[in-house]
Amino acid sequence: MASGPTAVPRSYYRASVALRVVPFGRGTRLEITSGRLEDVGLIDPTVLEALTLLDERALTAIVAQATEKGSGTSLEDH
């Protein structure tokens, strides 16, 4: 069953994102678009699977580091 990209708006606290599965090379990526920050990121399935192994504390630490004001940190840098 083939289907095209599907946008799913989701609000979480003050974040507003749209999620789409997009073709990328010979596979797919999860595209995350931030409505508030007007930024786009692509995550491959291996990274998504690794994120499922983290507990809430580890995920919170990653988000805190990535969103630290003025840090210049991007998740793509890691």
Side-chain angles (χ1 to χ4, degrees):
M1 180 170 128
S3 63
T6 303
V8 181
R10 171 79 179 181
S11 293
Y12 183 74
Y13 295 101
R14 286 186 268 175
S16 175
V17 299
L19 304 174
R20 294 186 326 144
V21 175
V22 297
F24 189 90
R26 294 184 290 172
T28 59
R29 298 289 188 267
L30 177 64
E31 178 186 85
I32 303 172
T33 304
S34 169
R36 187 171 59 89
L37 301 175
E38 298 180 6
D39 202 2
V40 178
L42 294 173
I43 302 177
D44 72 22
T46 303
V47 172
L48 286 172
E49 187 173 40
L51 289 174
T52 68
L53 300 173
L54 300 175
D55 63 17
E56 185 176 351
R57 186 176 183 184
L59 288 169
T60 300
I62 291 169
V63 171
Q65 181 180 2
T67 58
E68 205 170 88
K69 195 170 191 167
S71 71
T73 302
S74 168
L75 289 177
E76 292 180 353
D77 295 339
H78 300 285

